[in-house]
Amino acid sequence: MVLEVTEVTKTIPGSDLEKPILDRVSLSLSAGKTLALTGESGSGKSTLLHLVGALDEFDSGEIHLDGAALSGLNEARCAALRRSKVSIVFQQFNIVPSLNVTSNISLQAKLAERHDAEWEAYLASRLGLNDLLNRFPEQLSGGPQQRVAIARALAVRPKLLLADEPTGSLDEETGEAVLSLMLDLVRETQCALFLVTHSEPLASCLDRRLHLSGGNLS
Ligand SMILES: Nc1ncnc2c1ncn2[C@@H]1O[C@H](COP(=O)(O)OP(=O)(O)OP(=O)(O)O)[C@@H](O)[C@H]1O
Ligand SMILES: [Mg+2]
Protein backbone atom coordinates (compact mmCIF):
# COMPACT_ATOMS: atom_id res chain seq x y z
CA MET A 1 0.00 0.00 0.00
CA VAL A 2 1.43 3.38 -0.98
CA LEU A 3 -0.98 5.35 1.15
CA GLU A 4 -2.99 4.38 4.20
CA VAL A 5 -5.07 6.95 6.04
CA THR A 6 -6.54 5.53 9.23
CA GLU A 7 -9.21 7.33 11.27
CA VAL A 8 -7.63 10.73 10.75
CA THR A 9 -9.26 13.67 12.47
CA LYS A 10 -8.37 17.29 11.83
CA THR A 11 -9.83 20.36 13.46
CA ILE A 12 -8.95 23.76 12.05
CA PRO A 13 -7.50 25.81 14.91
CA GLY A 14 -9.63 28.82 15.77
CA SER A 15 -12.62 27.62 13.80
CA ASP A 16 -15.79 27.36 15.85
CA LEU A 17 -17.25 24.58 13.77
CA GLU A 18 -19.00 21.95 15.85
CA LYS A 19 -17.44 19.21 13.78
CA PRO A 20 -13.83 18.64 12.78
CA ILE A 21 -13.19 19.34 9.10
CA LEU A 22 -12.03 15.69 8.81
CA ASP A 23 -13.74 13.28 11.18
CA ARG A 24 -12.04 9.85 11.47
CA VAL A 25 -11.36 9.65 7.75
CA SER A 26 -9.87 6.42 6.35
CA LEU A 27 -8.73 5.44 2.87
CA SER A 28 -6.02 3.46 1.18
CA LEU A 29 -4.35 3.54 -2.20
CA SER A 30 -2.01 1.01 -3.75
CA ALA A 31 0.75 1.46 -6.34
CA GLY A 32 -0.44 2.31 -9.81
CA LYS A 33 -4.00 3.12 -8.69
CA THR A 34 -5.76 6.42 -9.21
CA LEU A 35 -8.24 8.00 -6.81
CA ALA A 36 -10.42 11.06 -7.32
CA LEU A 37 -11.65 13.12 -4.38
CA THR A 38 -14.67 15.35 -4.91
CA GLY A 39 -16.60 17.53 -2.50
CA GLU A 40 -18.02 21.03 -2.16
CA SER A 41 -15.82 24.06 -1.71
CA GLY A 42 -14.67 24.21 1.89
CA SER A 43 -15.39 20.53 2.56
CA GLY A 44 -11.73 19.90 3.41
CA LYS A 45 -10.33 18.31 0.23
CA SER A 46 -7.15 20.41 0.17
CA THR A 47 -6.80 19.95 3.91
CA LEU A 48 -6.78 16.16 3.46
CA LEU A 49 -4.37 16.38 0.53
CA HIS A 50 -1.98 18.52 2.59
CA LEU A 51 -2.07 16.01 5.45
CA VAL A 52 -1.29 13.17 3.07
CA GLY A 53 1.57 15.21 1.59
CA ALA A 54 3.04 15.71 5.08
CA LEU A 55 2.51 19.46 4.75
CA ASP A 56 0.26 19.81 7.79
CA GLU A 57 -0.42 18.02 11.06
CA PHE A 58 -3.50 16.05 12.10
CA ASP A 59 -5.09 15.72 15.56
CA SER A 60 -5.43 11.94 15.74
CA GLY A 61 -5.33 8.79 13.64
CA GLU A 62 -2.41 7.81 11.44
CA ILE A 63 -1.15 8.23 7.90
CA HIS A 64 1.31 5.77 6.38
CA LEU A 65 3.18 6.89 3.29
CA ASP A 66 4.93 3.97 1.61
CA GLY A 67 4.95 2.21 4.97
CA ALA A 68 6.25 5.16 7.03
CA ALA A 69 3.99 6.59 9.75
CA LEU A 70 3.74 10.39 9.53
CA SER A 71 2.74 11.13 13.11
CA GLY A 72 5.63 11.79 15.40
CA LEU A 73 8.15 12.31 12.61
CA ASN A 74 10.65 15.06 13.26
CA GLU A 75 10.85 17.91 10.77
CA ALA A 76 13.98 16.57 9.06
CA ARG A 77 12.46 13.11 8.44
CA CYS A 78 9.24 14.74 7.32
CA ALA A 79 11.08 16.97 4.85
CA ALA A 80 12.97 13.96 3.48
CA LEU A 81 9.69 12.06 2.95
CA ARG A 82 8.14 15.10 1.30
CA ARG A 83 11.04 15.38 -1.11
CA SER A 84 11.38 11.75 -2.11
CA LYS A 85 8.10 9.84 -1.72
CA VAL A 86 5.43 12.32 -2.66
CA SER A 87 4.99 15.10 -5.19
CA ILE A 88 2.25 17.69 -5.46
CA VAL A 89 0.81 19.47 -8.47
CA PHE A 90 -1.18 22.58 -7.54
CA GLN A 91 -3.90 24.49 -9.33
CA GLN A 92 -1.63 27.53 -9.65
CA PHE A 93 1.35 25.55 -11.05
CA ASN A 94 3.81 26.95 -8.46
CA ILE A 95 6.85 26.72 -10.69
CA VAL A 96 9.79 28.94 -9.82
CA PRO A 97 9.78 32.24 -11.80
CA SER A 98 13.56 32.72 -11.70
CA LEU A 99 14.37 29.28 -13.13
CA ASN A 100 14.05 28.14 -16.73
CA VAL A 101 12.04 25.06 -17.68
CA THR A 102 14.97 22.64 -17.45
CA SER A 103 15.94 23.89 -13.99
CA ASN A 104 12.34 23.85 -12.80
CA ILE A 105 11.99 20.24 -13.88
CA SER A 106 15.11 19.11 -12.01
CA LEU A 107 14.50 21.21 -8.89
CA GLN A 108 12.79 18.68 -6.61
CA ALA A 109 14.87 15.78 -7.90
CA LYS A 110 18.07 17.68 -7.07
CA LEU A 111 16.81 18.47 -3.58
CA ALA A 112 15.97 14.79 -3.11
CA GLU A 113 19.38 13.82 -4.52
CA ARG A 114 17.70 11.89 -7.31
CA HIS A 115 18.64 14.06 -10.26
CA ASP A 116 18.60 11.96 -13.44
CA ALA A 117 19.11 14.10 -16.55
CA GLU A 118 18.07 11.32 -18.90
CA TRP A 119 14.78 10.67 -17.10
CA GLU A 120 14.07 14.40 -16.88
CA ALA A 121 14.74 14.80 -20.61
CA TYR A 122 12.35 11.91 -21.29
CA LEU A 123 9.64 13.53 -19.16
CA ALA A 124 10.17 16.88 -20.90
CA SER A 125 9.81 15.19 -24.24
CA ARG A 126 6.70 13.22 -23.25
CA LEU A 127 5.15 16.43 -21.94
CA GLY A 128 5.89 18.33 -25.15
CA LEU A 129 8.39 20.70 -23.56
CA ASN A 130 11.40 20.13 -25.80
CA ASP A 131 11.11 23.49 -27.55
CA LEU A 132 10.58 25.38 -24.30
CA LEU A 133 13.50 24.16 -22.19
CA ASN A 134 15.25 27.54 -22.02
CA ARG A 135 12.11 29.57 -21.46
CA PHE A 136 11.14 31.11 -18.14
CA PRO A 137 7.69 30.65 -16.58
CA GLU A 138 6.52 34.18 -17.47
CA GLN A 139 7.06 33.30 -21.13
CA LEU A 140 4.70 30.32 -20.89
CA SER A 141 0.92 30.11 -20.83
CA GLY A 142 -0.94 28.01 -18.29
CA GLY A 143 -0.94 24.67 -20.13
CA PRO A 144 2.86 24.50 -20.58
CA GLN A 145 3.41 25.78 -17.02
CA GLN A 146 1.31 22.93 -15.66
CA ARG A 147 3.17 20.45 -17.89
CA VAL A 148 6.42 21.72 -16.35
CA ALA A 149 4.93 21.25 -12.87
CA ILE A 150 3.98 17.66 -13.77
CA ALA A 151 7.46 16.92 -15.13
CA ARG A 152 9.01 18.37 -11.96
CA ALA A 153 6.69 16.27 -9.81
CA LEU A 154 7.47 13.03 -11.65
CA ALA A 155 11.21 13.69 -11.98
CA VAL A 156 11.69 12.48 -8.42
CA ARG A 157 9.93 9.18 -9.25
CA PRO A 158 7.44 9.61 -6.39
CA LYS A 159 5.45 6.71 -4.98
CA LEU A 160 2.47 9.03 -4.73
CA LEU A 161 1.43 11.97 -6.89
CA LEU A 162 -0.99 14.43 -5.32
CA ALA A 163 -2.85 16.87 -7.51
CA ASP A 164 -5.14 19.62 -6.20
CA GLU A 165 -7.43 20.84 -8.99
CA PRO A 166 -4.56 20.59 -11.49
CA THR A 167 -6.73 21.70 -14.39
CA GLY A 168 -8.69 24.31 -12.44
CA SER A 169 -6.78 27.24 -13.96
CA LEU A 170 -6.87 25.95 -17.52
CA ASP A 171 -9.53 26.10 -20.22
CA GLU A 172 -11.38 22.85 -20.80
CA GLU A 173 -9.47 21.69 -23.85
CA THR A 174 -6.04 22.51 -22.39
CA GLY A 175 -7.05 20.95 -19.08
CA GLU A 176 -8.10 17.71 -20.76
CA ALA A 177 -4.85 17.51 -22.72
CA VAL A 178 -2.75 18.12 -19.60
CA LEU A 179 -4.73 15.58 -17.60
CA SER A 180 -4.49 12.92 -20.23
CA LEU A 181 -0.69 13.31 -20.31
CA MET A 182 -0.59 13.13 -16.54
CA LEU A 183 -2.66 9.93 -16.47
CA ASP A 184 -0.49 8.32 -19.17
CA LEU A 185 2.67 9.07 -17.21
CA VAL A 186 1.15 7.93 -13.93
CA ARG A 187 0.30 4.57 -15.52
CA GLU A 188 3.73 4.35 -17.09
CA THR A 189 5.57 5.04 -13.81
CA GLN A 190 3.14 3.01 -11.68
CA CYS A 191 2.94 5.76 -9.07
CA ALA A 192 -0.36 6.18 -7.25
CA LEU A 193 -2.43 9.29 -7.99
CA PHE A 194 -4.66 11.13 -5.53
CA LEU A 195 -6.49 13.86 -7.42
CA VAL A 196 -8.80 16.52 -6.03
CA THR A 197 -11.29 17.79 -8.54
CA HIS A 198 -14.64 19.54 -8.88
CA SER A 199 -15.20 17.85 -12.22
CA GLU A 200 -17.50 14.84 -12.31
CA PRO A 201 -16.36 13.72 -15.79
CA LEU A 202 -12.76 13.92 -14.63
CA ALA A 203 -13.45 11.97 -11.44
CA SER A 204 -15.12 9.23 -13.43
CA CYS A 205 -11.92 8.70 -15.49
CA LEU A 206 -10.03 7.42 -12.45
CA ASP A 207 -10.02 3.94 -10.89
CA ARG A 208 -11.91 4.99 -7.78
CA ARG A 209 -13.67 8.04 -6.42
CA LEU A 210 -14.52 9.31 -2.99
CA HIS A 211 -16.71 12.20 -1.91
CA LEU A 212 -15.96 14.33 1.13
CA SER A 213 -18.88 15.86 2.96
CA GLY A 214 -19.49 16.82 6.59
CA GLY A 215 -16.02 15.54 7.52
CA ASN A 216 -16.71 12.05 6.16
CA LEU A 217 -15.76 10.17 3.03
CA SER A 218 -18.23 8.11 1.04
N1 LIG B 1 -5.00 27.19 7.68
C1 LIG B 1 -6.31 27.40 7.83
N2 LIG B 1 -6.76 28.29 8.74
C2 LIG B 1 -8.07 28.50 8.90
N3 LIG B 1 -9.03 27.88 8.20
C3 LIG B 1 -8.65 27.01 7.27
C4 LIG B 1 -7.27 26.72 7.04
N4 LIG B 1 -7.19 25.78 6.05
C5 LIG B 1 -8.46 25.53 5.70
N5 LIG B 1 -9.33 26.24 6.43
C6 LIG B 1 -10.81 26.14 6.35
O1 LIG B 1 -11.11 24.76 6.34
C7 LIG B 1 -12.17 24.49 5.46
C8 LIG B 1 -11.73 23.48 4.43
O2 LIG B 1 -10.81 24.07 3.55
P1 LIG B 1 -10.19 23.32 2.29
O3 LIG B 1 -9.30 24.32 1.65
O4 LIG B 1 -9.60 22.05 2.71
O5 LIG B 1 -11.47 23.03 1.40
P2 LIG B 1 -11.57 22.51 -0.10
O6 LIG B 1 -12.52 21.37 -0.09
O7 LIG B 1 -10.22 22.27 -0.64
O8 LIG B 1 -12.25 23.72 -0.85
P3 LIG B 1 -12.06 24.23 -2.38
O9 LIG B 1 -12.85 23.28 -3.22
O10 LIG B 1 -12.64 25.59 -2.37
O11 LIG B 1 -10.60 24.23 -2.68
C9 LIG B 1 -12.59 25.82 4.88
O12 LIG B 1 -13.69 26.26 5.63
C10 LIG B 1 -11.38 26.69 5.08
O13 LIG B 1 -11.77 28.03 5.22
MG1 LIG C 1 -9.11 23.14 -2.13
Side-chain angles (χ1 to χ4, degrees):
M1 225 32 105
V2 170
L3 172 66
E4 275 187 285
V5 176
T6 314
E7 304 253 311
V8 162
T9 294
K10 168 83 178 169
T11 311
I12 302 289
S15 93
D16 51 12
L17 295 173
E18 257 174 56
K19 236 171 123 41
I21 185 77
L22 301 171
D23 191 2
R24 282 171 294 153
V25 161
S26 298
L27 67 93
S28 58
L29 190 58
S30 50
K33 293 291 176 194
T34 60
L35 171 69
L37 178 65
T38 56
E40 282 179 12
S41 241
S43 58
K45 304 182 299 298
S46 297
T47 303
L48 177 56
L49 201 84
H50 292 163
L51 295 184
V52 163
L55 292 170
D56 195 4
E57 292 176 355
F58 40 96
D59 307 340
S60 62
E62 189 54 279
I63 297 176
H64 286 92
L65 203 54
D66 198 29
L70 293 188
S71 71
L73 278 188
N74 64 30
E75 185 46 40
R77 284 274 297 126
C78 216
L81 262 181
R82 266 199 307 262
R83 279 195 299 267
S84 59
K85 299 274 189 204
V86 56
S87 289
I88 309 192
V89 175
F90 296 95
Q91 179 173 350
Q92 293 301 336
F93 323 133
N94 292 16
I95 57 176
V96 181
S98 60
L99 297 179
N100 70 15
V101 166
T102 302
S103 302
N104 261 291
I105 292 174
S106 56
L107 183 66
Q108 187 185 350
K110 282 184 172 161
L111 289 171
E113 297 180 349
R114 287 209 194 159
H115 175 49
D116 175 346
E118 211 172 306
W119 171 237
E120 287 156 27
Y122 173 75
L123 287 172
S125 146
R126 289 282 275 109
L127 286 155
L129 296 168
N130 278 350
D131 294 336
L132 306 174
L133 294 173
N134 294 318
R135 301 266 186 99
F136 286 83
E138 65 179 11
Q139 301 169 302
L140 303 176
S141 59
Q145 285 199 51
Q146 194 61 307
R147 287 188 268 126
V148 173
I150 293 168
R152 176 182 62 184
L154 293 174
V156 70
R157 297 183 187 273
K159 296 280 182 177
L160 176 62
L161 178 64
L162 304 174
D164 197 347
E165 290 279 351
T167 60
S169 299
L170 305 173
D171 66 63
E172 199 177 322
E173 197 180 329
T174 308
E176 275 172 18
V178 165
L179 189 85
S180 129
L181 278 169
M182 186 165 83
L183 288 178
D184 285 350
L185 284 167
V186 159
R187 293 205 173 102
E188 204 173 306
T189 57
Q190 282 293 294
C191 79
L193 172 69
F194 184 5
L195 174 105
V196 167
T197 181
H198 279 287
S199 157
E200 294 294 325
L202 195 65
S204 61
C205 293
L206 303 201
D207 296 329
R208 198 150 55 95
R209 52 187 296 182
L210 289 169
H211 188 78
L212 183 59
S213 175
N216 300 118
L217 286 174
S218 56

